[in-house]
Amino acid sequence: MIEKQGNVMFFASRPSVLFGAAVGGKAEGDGPCAKEFDFCYDNDDINCKTWEQAEAALQKEAMQRVLQKANLPPQDVDVLFSGDLLDQCVASSVAAKELKIPMAGLYGACSTFASGLCMAGIFAESQAAKTALVCASSHFCSAEKQFRFPLEYGSQRPPTTQRTATAAGAVLVGHGKSGCCIEAAMIGTIQDLGITDAANMGAAMAPAAADTIARFLKLTKTQAGDYDCILTGDLGSVGSQLLCQILFHNDLDISAVHEDCGNLLFDIEKQDVHAGASGCGCSAALVSTMFRRKIEKGELQKVLFVGTGALMSPLSVRQGESIPGIAHAVLLSRK
Amino acid sequence: MIEKQGNVMFFASRPSVLFGAAVGGKAEGDGPCAKEFDFCYDNDDINCKTWEQAEAALQKEAMQRVLQKANLPPQDVDVLFSGDLLDQCVASSVAAKELKIPMAGLYGACSTFASGLCMAGIFAESQAAKTALVCASSHFCSAEKQFRFPLEYGSQRPPTTQRTATAAGAVLVGHGKSGCCIEAAMIGTIQDLGITDAANMGAAMAPAAADTIARFLKLTKTQAGDYDCILTGDLGSVGSQLLCQILFHNDLDISAVHEDCGNLLFDIEKQDVHAGASGCGCSAALVSTMFRRKIEKGELQKVLFVGTGALMSPLSVRQGESIPGIAHAVLLSRK
């Protein structure tokens, strides 16, 4: 049964994050987190004809690698929670149709992986599923084409932009032996402070991250220092600074324990990625591998993962509307 | 706790569908189900500047009407499951941001409302939420513009097309007095038989509906005759015929109890809507009002609602890819 403190859901049985895998593209393989990935391609087309197919291929491979590690055939997975940034989450549909796993499609932009972990925790805790697969992906080329300009156009990107990760991450959640578990989760509320700049996702998401973190700490009567890491994904350098500023104005200083997946995936200076990384695949890849492993090994005991999403529609941005942000929190801890 | 028969989840506490509401546009108000709606506008712009804003306004109003009936302020709702057909589910984000309810965004095309009912059932059963709001919408003009041609273009629509409902439906799920409950649910698996025609959604969805219905009956060891109604939403006339044919070839005859929301919303002949209605808002509106009421009144005892979605991306259709279909089942019954 799920116990609640306000809107925070606690999972008494502490469902395990049993296995994880991530695959990436060329820039990810050239970056400081390359060794965390199961595999990085040396091209961005992932040997496919279109960027959309390439993204679907990344998702499919991440899921297949998790299932191989678990030695579990796809038909034994009870439910798949997946999503991506593309219109109608098409990369997820294409990847899921080949694996033939019951699929609950999610939409939360870059918060999708956190949203999926929330759902997997609830399904495992309530025995709605014995095993739940969570997967999210993004692709630099499919995302730029859809949200801003096709790369072939050669447009100059302003300093506030983040480079969408070409990556997919997947985990298998269930009950079994693992050093990493989902202890609690909280579904976030949309925050919108009126950002209309499609090239500044960090600013659109920071208020939602701040709201979710402040609320989670208040409801659980904990402080930033009670966590080894408060991990946002993916605010990048601009959004991370804004998040710390907003919280600081509310008498919360998280700077000592704050990390952001968007600041970790690339070498921001050397790889010329402006304000860092973004995209569903960024936090999905790093949480599925690096952070899961650090918790398993005991290097980190408690990680408050806050997946942040800019629910940006290119159409509504062109219509002059602002970009709503959302952030879901998942407390990952050592079991 | 949730008991399972294969992939079917049974909710022992039988969470109630406490309240429901639906709002629609002009064609819906002119149709045979007009009296089921709480309100139908005499225009399709719902007094808004853009079709996307109009769709968001429909969602917001449907949710507000449910909350008014429940006499519940938005901040007392634990979670909102919502989605729509637009890129990045923008109508749902805009509607949810104004109500400030924690939101788990779903993507399942026209299966969204069924997917939301599944989730609400699991959240209520596991006590992850005391009250869960489920909402879905669609709009004829925003959908045509996005998926096929802007209406201003005046393109001729082939006979297999369905008219997207301009409507939103919402229900509040929780524990309390109500004659209608969620007894069981099953998340569907993507089926794709290679349909590439964006003007024939019925054909893309029928195989998924057939798979889900056949599997649900088999796993629960029931027959079509055990249900007062097997309600698909929304296959329309073309998809409904295909569904019955596919099942008939598998020795399952559901024709005596089969109904489809897409065949009910409009007067297909008089309103010139080709193959019927479609869109997330169609089944959301009819299940939230007409079918919920019929169950409450005891006119129907057991309704197997199978929400069907064509996970169609206009981009991948233009790239020559086929359209994946999915169908989620929810067993609604008299309490």
Side-chain angles (χ1 to χ4, degrees):
Chain A
M1 209 175 72
I2 291 163
E3 281 166 40
K4 294 192 72 183
Q5 288 179 11
N7 224 33
V8 179
M9 301 170 282
F10 280 87
F11 308 130
S13 70
R14 301 172 83 196
S16 298
V17 181
L18 295 164
F19 297 93
V23 285
K26 182 159 183 350
E28 292 66 27
D30 292 340
C33 297
K35 67 179 188 313
E36 302 291 346
F37 283 82
D38 292 64
F39 185 75
C40 284
Y41 285 82
D42 62 2
N43 61 73
D44 277 344
D45 58 16
I46 322 294
N47 310 322
C48 295
K49 277 192 298 181
T50 69
W51 302 129
E52 292 71 24
Q53 284 178 15
E55 188 174 334
L58 286 174
Q59 259 204 45
K60 192 178 147 196
E61 185 175 342
M63 292 193 283
Q64 281 174 329
R65 284 178 179 265
V66 168
L67 294 177
Q68 273 161 17
K69 291 177 193 187
N71 196 17
L72 196 73
Q75 62 267 28
D76 285 0
V77 178
D78 285 341
V79 62
L80 162 65
F81 298 104
S82 63
D84 58 77
L85 291 168
L86 298 179
D87 293 349
Q88 290 79 44
C89 299
V90 71
S92 304
S93 304
V94 170
K97 90 176 174 192
E98 299 192 21
L99 291 183
K100 296 199 174 299
I101 302 172
M103 181 207 191
L106 301 177
Y107 176 70
C110 303
S111 73
T112 299
F113 196 70
S115 161
L117 287 175
C118 287
M119 296 296 170
I122 292 161
F123 270 59
E125 177 71 24
S126 66
Q127 303 188 12
K130 272 192 190 168
T131 49
L133 201 55
V134 181
C135 187
S137 67
S138 53
H139 193 298
F140 178 54
C141 309
S142 62
E144 285 304 304
K145 178 170 99 175
Q146 180 178 282
F147 289 105
R148 284 159 290 259
F149 297 102
L151 292 179
E152 293 80 352
Y153 185 77
S155 78
Q156 207 166 15
R157 307 173 74 229
T160 51
T161 51
Q162 295 164 251
R163 183 187 164 105
T164 303
T166 299
V171 292
L172 187 74
V173 174
H175 291 290
K177 224 177 158 180
S178 161
C180 175
C181 72
I182 305 175
E183 191 176 331
M186 189 182 90
I187 292 167
T189 306
I190 290 177
Q191 303 293 322
D192 188 338
L193 298 194
I195 301 292
T196 53
D197 180 1
N200 193 352
M201 296 290 99
M205 295 186 282
D211 177 70
T212 294
I213 293 168
R215 217 139 39 86
F216 190 94
L217 297 181
K218 194 179 169 191
L219 289 168
T220 55
K221 298 190 180 89
T222 54
Q223 294 174 321
D226 294 330
Y227 303 91
D228 297 315
C229 178
I230 295 180
L231 177 71
T232 48
D234 322 285
L235 297 173
S237 56
V238 174
S240 292
Q241 205 181 347
L242 286 171
L243 166 68
C244 290
Q245 280 174 1
I246 297 170
L247 288 176
F248 200 74
H249 280 296
N250 288 286
D251 298 322
L252 267 173
D253 184 0
I254 65 160
S255 56
V257 293
H258 176 246
E259 296 241 38
D260 181 77
C261 296
N263 292 335
L264 296 170
L265 187 68
F266 300 123
D267 185 320
I268 293 186
E269 294 293 314
K270 279 192 199 154
Q271 291 189 279
D272 190 24
V273 292
H274 301 73
S278 71
C280 305
C282 176
S283 63
L286 294 189
V287 171
S288 296
T289 58
M290 183 160 73
F291 284 92
R292 179 183 56 78
R293 279 192 207 113
K294 283 188 178 187
I295 295 168
E296 276 186 354
K297 286 184 191 162
E299 291 170 28
L300 296 170
Q301 300 285 333
K302 271 184 187 294
V303 174
L304 182 60
F305 167 46
V306 180
T308 58
L311 309 173
M312 194 222 343
S313 152
L315 178 62
S316 67
V317 167
R318 286 196 294 268
Q319 288 171 344
E321 302 291 323
S322 56
I323 302 164
I326 199 162
H328 305 297
V330 182
L331 177 56
L332 297 168
S333 63
R334 185 157 160 75
K335 202 170 185 174
Chain B
M1 207 176 74
I2 291 163
E3 280 167 42
K4 296 192 72 183
Q5 288 179 10
N7 224 32
V8 179
M9 302 170 282
F10 280 87
F11 308 129
S13 71
R14 300 173 84 197
S16 298
V17 181
L18 295 164
F19 297 94
V23 285
K26 185 162 182 342
E28 292 67 26
D30 292 340
C33 297
K35 66 179 190 310
E36 304 289 348
F37 283 83
D38 291 65
F39 185 75
C40 284
Y41 286 81
D42 62 3
N43 62 73
D44 277 344
D45 58 16
I46 321 295
N47 310 321
C48 295
K49 277 191 300 182
T50 69
W51 302 128
E52 292 72 23
Q53 285 177 16
E55 188 174 334
L58 286 174
Q59 259 205 43
K60 192 178 148 195
E61 185 175 341
M63 293 193 282
Q64 282 174 328
R65 284 178 179 266
V66 169
L67 295 177
Q68 272 161 18
K69 291 178 193 186
N71 196 19
L72 195 73
Q75 60 269 28
D76 286 359
V77 179
D78 286 340
V79 62
L80 161 65
F81 298 104
S82 63
D84 58 76
L85 290 169
L86 298 178
D87 293 348
Q88 291 78 43
C89 298
V90 71
S92 304
S93 304
V94 170
K97 89 176 175 192
E98 299 192 21
L99 291 183
K100 296 199 174 300
I101 302 172
M103 180 206 192
L106 301 177
Y107 175 69
C110 304
S111 73
T112 299
F113 195 70
S115 161
L117 286 176
C118 286
M119 296 295 171
I122 292 161
F123 270 59
E125 178 70 24
S126 65
Q127 303 190 15
K130 272 191 191 168
T131 49
L133 201 56
V134 181
C135 187
S137 68
S138 54
H139 194 299
F140 178 54
C141 309
S142 62
E144 286 303 305
K145 178 170 100 176
Q146 180 178 284
F147 289 106
R148 284 159 291 259
F149 297 102
L151 293 178
E152 294 81 351
Y153 185 77
S155 79
Q156 206 166 14
R157 309 174 73 230
T160 51
T161 52
Q162 295 164 252
R163 184 186 163 104
T164 304
T166 300
V171 293
L172 187 74
V173 174
H175 291 290
K177 225 176 157 178
S178 161
C180 175
C181 72
I182 305 176
E183 191 176 329
M186 190 182 90
I187 292 168
T189 305
I190 290 177
Q191 303 293 322
D192 187 339
L193 298 194
I195 300 292
T196 53
D197 180 1
N200 192 353
M201 296 291 99
M205 295 187 283
D211 176 71
T212 294
I213 293 169
R215 218 140 38 87
F216 190 94
L217 297 181
K218 194 179 169 191
L219 289 168
T220 55
K221 299 189 179 89
T222 54
Q223 294 175 322
D226 295 329
Y227 303 91
D228 297 315
C229 178
I230 295 180
L231 177 70
T232 49
D234 321 284
L235 297 174
S237 57
V238 174
S240 292
Q241 205 180 345
L242 285 171
L243 166 68
C244 290
Q245 280 174 0
I246 297 170
L247 288 177
F248 200 74
H249 281 294
N250 288 285
D251 297 322
L252 267 173
D253 184 0
I254 65 161
S255 56
V257 293
H258 177 245
E259 296 243 38
D260 181 78
C261 296
N263 292 335
L264 296 170
L265 187 68
F266 300 123
D267 185 320
I268 292 186
E269 295 292 313
K270 279 192 198 154
Q271 291 189 280
D272 190 25
V273 292
H274 301 74
S278 70
C280 304
C282 175
S283 63
L286 294 188
V287 171
S288 296
T289 58
M290 182 160 74
F291 285 91
R292 179 183 55 80
R293 279 193 205 111
K294 284 190 177 185
I295 296 169
E296 276 186 353
K297 285 183 192 164
E299 291 170 28
L300 296 170
Q301 299 285 334
K302 272 185 187 292
V303 174
L304 182 61
F305 167 45
V306 180
T308 58
L311 308 173
M312 195 224 341
S313 153
L315 178 62
S316 67
V317 167
R318 285 196 295 269
Q319 289 170 346
E321 303 290 323
S322 56
I323 303 164
I326 199 162
H328 306 296
V330 182
L331 178 56
L332 297 167
S333 63
R334 187 158 157 74
K335 202 169 184 173

